[in-house]
Amino acid sequence: VSRGVAGAAPERSRLEPGIARLKEALPPRSWLDEPAAMEPYVVDWRGLYRGRSPLVLRPDTVEQVSAALAICNEHRIAVVPQGGNTGLTGGSVPAGDGAAVVLSLDRLDRIRALDAAGFTITVDAGCILAEIQSAADATDRFFPLSLGAEGSCRIGGNLSTNAGGIQVLRYGMARDLTLGLEVVLPDGRVLEGLSGLRKDNTGYDLKQLFIGAEGTLGVITGATLKLFPKPMDRVTAFYAVASPAAALALFGELRERTADGLIAFELLHRPILDLVFRNIPRTGDPLERPYEWYVLFEAAGPPIAQGLASGIEAATEAWMEAGLVLDGTVAATEAQRLAFWRIRESVADAQKVEGIGIRHDVSVPVNAVPEFLARALPAATAAFEGLRPIAFGHAGDGNIHFNLLQPPGMSDAVFLEATPRLNRLVHDIVASLGGSISAEHGIGRLRRTELPAYKSEAAMALMHSLKATLDPNGIMNPGVLL
Amino acid sequence: VSRGVAGAAPERSRLEPGIARLKEALPPRSWLDEPAAMEPYVVDWRGLYRGRSPLVLRPDTVEQVSAALAICNEHRIAVVPQGGNTGLTGGSVPAGDGAAVVLSLDRLDRIRALDAAGFTITVDAGCILAEIQSAADATDRFFPLSLGAEGSCRIGGNLSTNAGGIQVLRYGMARDLTLGLEVVLPDGRVLEGLSGLRKDNTGYDLKQLFIGAEGTLGVITGATLKLFPKPMDRVTAFYAVASPAAALALFGELRERTADGLIAFELLHRPILDLVFRNIPRTGDPLERPYEWYVLFEAAGPPIAQGLASGIEAATEAWMEAGLVLDGTVAATEAQRLAFWRIRESVADAQKVEGIGIRHDVSVPVNAVPEFLARALPAATAAFEGLRPIAFGHAGDGNIHFNLLQPPGMSDAVFLEATPRLNRLVHDIVASLGGSISAEHGIGRLRRTELPAYKSEAAMALMHSLKATLDPNGIMNPGVLL
């Protein structure tokens, strides 16, 4: 199943002079042009988007990035910036026409500085997320961005897509973790901004333009990021709740009574648990009998005080009396804690076993989560015989992953043909609740044609103006986002 | 002492057709043209910037703001957006040439919606900050933006200047508190963005452009803001520390051991305490004998746990043994807590009694605060006979207010003449440490000519490009920021 744009054959003659200059300007270790070597760079990790490219650039200095972009800009050669190539929307692979070079940041991967006293780290854009986490950990600090792909995704990609993940509730998105950026503009100029300042009100906050821009305005080459104290006195619990509305009430109680020490608050629907227990070894129900809705939450308290866990346990009695919580268990050991999280983290793999999923990464205002589920679950079931809607996600952020699982026995082709209709069904409910059709995955190639239907004309026009201002020749990641 | 630009007389004939159209388009209650009525809108609250204007607009709907901007844009009439007019850099008053209309948001002041369950509030831009705090408080929620002018500043101005204040450490700047904005663009189009979503990765984050832009790109008319649980189990302490470096070490200890429950961490130099105790009634030294450096900090713990205060007191013994803390007291009552804060909050008034202060609102990386003070304090004293440097501020954010107090007996004129030299002295030290010449006050008219010396060429060029893209006729707040 390839959604790669087929496109026309590249005008090789048009590209050749620029490609030749790129090969001259960069040392041979900084580019690839053999098809076999380029393969991992032209297809996304799920194999859904396959493109073509005449050249993959792998600069290992900011100066090389700058030189490469200046040449591409002069020769009007399109550039696809790429981090770990782990995105879910096809934004990091070239189109099928072979007219764009890939600019991989995978060799620009040094940790430049770590300031434990000032709670900051400065890194190259190609640093793997897990390596940043480890470097922080080694100095008794904590970098909270955490997501499934953390062992292979790279921070430049995380920033370009404004990645979210499990701990957004307490620590924010990638944007919120960024103090400074170094960016190479499409014409090769370098915008230096790695100050690491907590406060700087000297004009427009330029870094904000590039965060979440999916590589369409320039290339992020470095970042200064916030670090935090390590969460300690951590409490992890797996509760059955009466309903999504009860989950929302519990969310408010927990935020209040932990003084906003709530780090994660994940909502899980029973069919997901069954899917996981069926397909993923070493998983099992933490509770004795089944319920319809669950939350998995984690809170951290000040190690200087005492008793967060016992406080939560005591409060839980009141929540059970009030009918919010039906049953539950608090992890007594680290192994138990990891077992709870294994359930949540296995959802993607468990789905894959049972067929194609048409994914929706949507958000609504937090208090509209119950209404979204009350409308979207029956609508999806009614729309399609045998369709299995899978709802889970970061309820504390209003972010629901709403995936529609292939009916057993239905062919891939028939199911995929229904994609536009099912997208529209889900996204129209989202829009009617004031929500977003992409909470954390971005637009990429996947949602590009849907975007104008859900954004205002004024917003679309302003985005196009900004694109034209920063990238007047339109070389940056064409076909993605805008 | 007026720094108002004298300027040339307004070309009344050029302005008249547009002014007439504005008066027709808006109801009579929505504008003022009598000089006496306009007076509060053309001079800043400290009386340092006095301008002139042919018309003050006071729209009470977004539609009126839109209509007014469309007319101004068509007639090329400059517009000075104004909130509570409490800024410190002259950014909210017109220049002296009388060529700009003032657009006050003071009648667009409704609270549109409060969602306690979802922890959000949606407000008109003209809402007074303290009223937003009160509305949140009434539903058991907390809006953390807090600063001296909160009784009269308006949220649109706070957002346009990306205001900071006392609790940035834990809750962030105004930018970090913003979920959505409604903005009227210079041509009158309305950019709707009051979604209140926690996560929305559907393209460029347009609201970021207008936050901190000081009214040069459009007019903020509404905002959806984050609310928080109320801080409870609060501990407030006033400690003498061995040095700024010891303060920094204590800061790290507190962040770790309170699980980032540290809300405020203010550094105070002894001369400031003397200044306050001398000039402000009902203030006095919380400790028995004087020390050179102090911190005033506040932390909050989870009410569900116990013993933050006793935990901090126990840890303090170890910090005293290690020589970080020399002496200290933890507020035992709310009255004592308020007395500690009264010292900090009286600094501005205490200064005023003793003469003119040349102010610097600078930031450096948090771990460079000790070095900044070690260089700037002696440099200031050496630069000028009798000059009294006053250093205080949000050390946890790397933000120091570094004010230079008029030598006793020196004339205002002689002292003020030295302003550019003293600015340069302070700001060059800041720049050498990778700092910012405006941490939270903004650029306004005050720092506009200094800005290009401290920003890179690429950053200045990009800011000018953005300005030209969003406001091609240059009508928005000319003479401010850029």
Side-chain angles (χ1 to χ4, degrees):
Chain A
V1 185
S2 175
R3 305 185 202 174
V5 181
E11 310 161 53
R12 288 203 71 90
S13 58
R14 185 183 76 76
L15 297 178
E16 264 165 17
I19 300 291
R21 275 199 57 202
L22 286 166
K23 289 178 179 176
E24 280 162 31
L26 268 61
R29 66 175 186 278
S30 294
W31 49 267
L32 304 167
D33 64 355
E34 295 291 330
M38 292 197 292
E39 169 72 9
Y41 298 91
V42 298
V43 58
D44 78 314
W45 68 281
R46 294 185 300 169
L48 290 180
Y49 295 90
R50 169 171 297 280
R52 287 190 300 136
S53 180
L55 188 68
V56 172
L57 300 171
R58 299 179 67 210
D60 63 353
T61 65
V62 176
E63 293 67 32
Q64 288 179 20
V65 176
S66 166
L69 282 182
I71 293 168
C72 289
N73 195 46
E74 187 187 329
H75 288 264
R76 309 291 189 264
I77 295 176
V79 179
V80 178
Q82 187 178 92
N85 198 15
T86 63
L88 295 166
T89 63
S92 60
V93 288
D97 64 2
V101 301
V102 174
L103 176 60
S104 169
L105 281 300
D106 61 355
R107 289 177 67 239
L108 196 67
D109 64 349
R110 284 150 301 204
I111 289 177
R112 297 194 198 173
L114 193 153
D115 170 9
F119 292 85
T120 68
I121 189 168
T122 300
V123 297
D124 281 350
C127 274
I128 287 179
L129 174 54
E131 288 174 8
I132 299 174
Q133 295 166 347
S134 300
D137 192 72
T139 60
D140 223 26
R141 293 290 177 255
F142 177 60
F143 183 61
L145 189 67
S146 174
L147 41 100
E150 63 196 29
S152 48
C153 64
R154 294 176 191 272
I155 192 69
N158 298 142
L159 292 167
S160 292
T161 57
N162 188 25
I166 291 295
Q167 299 174 136
V168 170
L169 191 56
R170 174 67 181 81
Y171 298 100
M173 309 276 283
R175 181 185 304 282
D176 303 300
L177 302 173
T178 307
L179 292 171
L181 283 189
E182 176 189 79
V183 176
V184 181
L185 298 175
D187 62 7
R189 277 178 304 157
V190 180
L191 197 63
E192 313 266 8
L194 291 177
S195 69
L197 299 177
R198 299 273 159 178
K199 289 170 143 182
D200 180 15
N201 273 349
T202 54
Y204 311 148
D205 192 1
L206 300 174
K207 68 175 176 287
Q208 305 290 351
L209 281 168
F210 305 95
I211 300 171
E214 304 188 20
T216 62
L217 299 179
V219 177
I220 295 172
T221 51
T224 302
L225 305 164
K226 291 182 191 170
L227 298 179
F228 293 84
K230 283 189 192 179
M232 289 188 272
D233 194 15
R234 196 156 46 178
V235 179
T236 308
F238 196 94
Y239 281 11
V241 291
S243 63
L248 187 62
L250 180 63
F251 168 68
E253 284 276 321
L254 280 167
R255 280 196 71 179
E256 282 176 39
R257 303 185 68 173
T258 62
D260 240 355
L262 195 61
I263 289 180
F265 188 83
E266 300 286 309
L267 183 69
L268 295 161
H269 198 195
R270 180 71 208 183
I272 291 176
L273 267 59
D274 292 330
L275 193 72
V276 169
F277 302 155
R278 205 157 56 223
N279 295 304
I280 308 291
R282 291 175 297 114
T283 60
D285 200 330
L287 304 178
E288 280 180 21
R289 46 155 297 215
Y291 298 89
E292 193 179 357
W293 290 101
Y294 300 85
V295 296
L296 166 57
F297 69 82
E298 192 158 288
I304 212 167
Q306 290 294 321
L308 184 66
S310 57
I312 285 178
E313 280 173 25
T316 301
E317 286 177 32
W319 296 329
M320 291 186 77
E321 271 171 40
L324 292 181
V325 175
L326 303 178
D327 194 359
T329 178
V330 173
T333 62
E334 179 67 9
Q336 216 176 341
R337 175 181 171 262
L338 294 176
F340 293 174
W341 277 110
R342 185 168 163 79
I343 297 170
R344 169 65 183 84
E345 284 160 4
S346 300
V347 177
D349 288 338
Q351 269 180 217
K352 223 176 285 174
V353 179
E354 302 211 356
I356 296 174
I358 297 177
R359 295 167 179 237
H360 304 94
D361 163 42
V362 304
S363 70
V364 292
V366 175
N367 75 348
V369 168
E371 187 179 345
F372 169 74
L373 293 169
R375 287 169 60 185
L377 284 170
T381 315
F384 217 106
E385 180 79 29
L387 190 75
R388 290 172 293 163
I390 297 289
F392 65 103
H394 321 299
D397 310 315
N399 179 191
I400 301 296
H401 297 307
F402 193 79
N403 299 342
L404 303 174
L405 216 63
Q406 191 171 13
M410 178 177 283
S411 80
D412 292 1
V414 170
F415 183 55
L416 284 174
E417 210 182 89
T419 304
R421 182 162 70 90
L422 293 170
N423 286 347
R424 177 122 195 220
L425 180 123
V426 175
H427 290 160
D428 282 0
I429 296 173
V430 166
S432 75
L433 294 168
S436 164
I437 65 165
S438 181
E440 56 179 14
H441 294 171
I443 297 300
R445 298 183 186 279
L446 176 66
R447 302 267 174 240
R448 184 185 174 222
T449 55
E450 279 182 88
L451 186 62
Y454 297 102
K455 281 286 222 201
S456 72
E457 260 181 62
M460 289 302 296
L462 184 47
M463 288 205 282
H464 281 288
S465 298
L466 292 171
K467 170 74 176 172
T469 301
L470 273 93
D471 179 24
N473 297 324
I475 64 164
M476 297 307 306
N477 223 358
V480 167
L481 181 50
L482 282 182
Chain B
V1 186
S2 175
R3 305 185 202 174
V5 182
E11 312 161 51
R12 286 204 72 89
S13 57
R14 185 182 76 77
L15 297 177
E16 262 164 19
I19 300 291
R21 276 198 58 201
L22 286 166
K23 289 179 178 176
E24 280 161 32
L26 268 61
R29 66 176 187 280
S30 293
W31 48 267
L32 304 167
D33 64 354
E34 295 291 330
M38 292 196 292
E39 170 71 9
Y41 298 90
V42 298
V43 59
D44 79 314
W45 67 283
R46 293 186 300 171
L48 290 181
Y49 295 90
R50 171 171 294 282
R52 286 189 303 136
S53 179
L55 189 68
V56 172
L57 300 171
R58 299 178 68 211
D60 64 353
T61 65
V62 176
E63 294 68 31
Q64 288 180 20
V65 176
S66 166
L69 283 182
I71 293 168
C72 289
N73 195 45
E74 188 188 327
H75 289 265
R76 310 289 190 265
I77 295 176
V79 179
V80 178
Q82 186 179 92
N85 197 14
T86 62
L88 294 167
T89 63
S92 61
V93 288
D97 63 2
V101 301
V102 174
L103 176 59
S104 170
L105 281 300
D106 61 355
R107 290 177 65 239
L108 196 69
D109 63 349
R110 283 150 303 207
I111 289 176
R112 297 193 199 174
L114 193 154
D115 171 8
F119 291 84
T120 68
I121 188 168
T122 300
V123 298
D124 281 349
C127 275
I128 287 178
L129 174 54
E131 288 174 8
I132 300 173
Q133 294 167 347
S134 299
D137 191 73
T139 62
D140 224 25
R141 293 289 178 257
F142 177 60
F143 183 63
L145 189 66
S146 174
L147 42 99
E150 63 196 27
S152 48
C153 64
R154 294 175 190 274
I155 192 68
N158 298 142
L159 292 166
S160 292
T161 57
N162 187 25
I166 290 296
Q167 298 173 136
V168 171
L169 190 56
R170 174 67 181 80
Y171 298 100
M173 308 277 282
R175 180 185 305 280
D176 304 299
L177 301 173
T178 306
L179 292 170
L181 283 189
E182 177 188 78
V183 176
V184 181
L185 299 175
D187 62 6
R189 278 178 304 158
V190 180
L191 197 64
E192 314 266 8
L194 291 178
S195 70
L197 298 176
R198 299 272 159 175
K199 288 170 145 185
D200 180 14
N201 273 349
T202 55
Y204 311 147
D205 192 358
L206 300 174
K207 67 176 178 290
Q208 304 291 352
L209 281 169
F210 305 96
I211 299 170
E214 304 187 19
T216 61
L217 298 178
V219 177
I220 295 172
T221 52
T224 301
L225 305 165
K226 291 182 191 169
L227 298 179
F228 294 83
K230 284 188 193 179
M232 290 188 272
D233 194 14
R234 195 156 47 179
V235 179
T236 308
F238 196 95
Y239 282 11
V241 291
S243 62
L248 186 64
L250 180 63
F251 168 70
E253 284 277 320
L254 280 166
R255 281 196 71 179
E256 281 176 40
R257 304 186 67 173
T258 63
D260 240 355
L262 195 61
I263 290 179
F265 189 83
E266 300 286 309
L267 183 69
L268 295 161
H269 198 196
R270 180 71 208 184
I272 291 176
L273 267 58
D274 292 331
L275 193 71
V276 169
F277 301 155
R278 203 156 57 221
N279 295 305
I280 307 292
R282 291 175 296 113
T283 59
D285 200 329
L287 304 178
E288 280 180 22
R289 46 154 295 213
Y291 298 90
E292 192 179 358
W293 291 99
Y294 299 85
V295 296
L296 166 57
F297 70 83
E298 193 158 288
I304 212 165
Q306 291 293 322
L308 184 67
S310 57
I312 286 178
E313 279 172 25
T316 300
E317 286 176 31
W319 296 330
M320 289 185 77
E321 269 170 41
L324 291 181
V325 175
L326 303 177
D327 193 0
T329 178
V330 173
T333 63
E334 179 66 10
Q336 216 177 343
R337 175 180 171 265
L338 295 177
F340 293 174
W341 278 110
R342 187 169 161 78
I343 297 170
R344 168 65 181 84
E345 284 159 4
S346 300
V347 177
D349 288 338
Q351 269 181 219
K352 224 178 284 174
V353 179
E354 302 210 356
I356 295 174
I358 297 177
R359 295 166 178 239
H360 304 93
D361 163 41
V362 303
S363 70
V364 293
V366 175
N367 74 349
V369 168
E371 186 179 346
F372 169 74
L373 292 170
R375 287 170 57 186
L377 284 170
T381 314
F384 217 107
E385 180 79 28
L387 191 75
R388 289 172 294 163
I390 298 290
F392 64 103
H394 320 300
D397 309 314
N399 179 190
I400 300 297
H401 298 306
F402 193 79
N403 298 341
L404 303 175
L405 216 64
Q406 191 170 13
M410 177 178 283
S411 79
D412 293 1
V414 169
F415 183 55
L416 284 174
E417 210 182 88
T419 304
R421 182 161 69 92
L422 292 170
N423 286 348
R424 175 120 197 222
L425 180 123
V426 175
H427 291 160
D428 282 358
I429 295 172
V430 166
S432 75
L433 294 168
S436 164
I437 65 164
S438 181
E440 57 179 13
H441 295 170
I443 297 300
R445 298 184 185 278
L446 176 66
R447 302 264 174 243
R448 185 185 174 223
T449 53
E450 278 180 89
L451 186 61
Y454 296 102
K455 282 284 221 201
S456 73
E457 258 180 63
M460 288 302 297
L462 184 47
M463 289 205 281
H464 281 288
S465 298
L466 291 170
K467 170 74 176 172
T469 301
L470 274 93
D471 178 24
N473 297 322
I475 64 164
M476 298 306 306
N477 222 0
V480 168
L481 181 50
L482 282 181

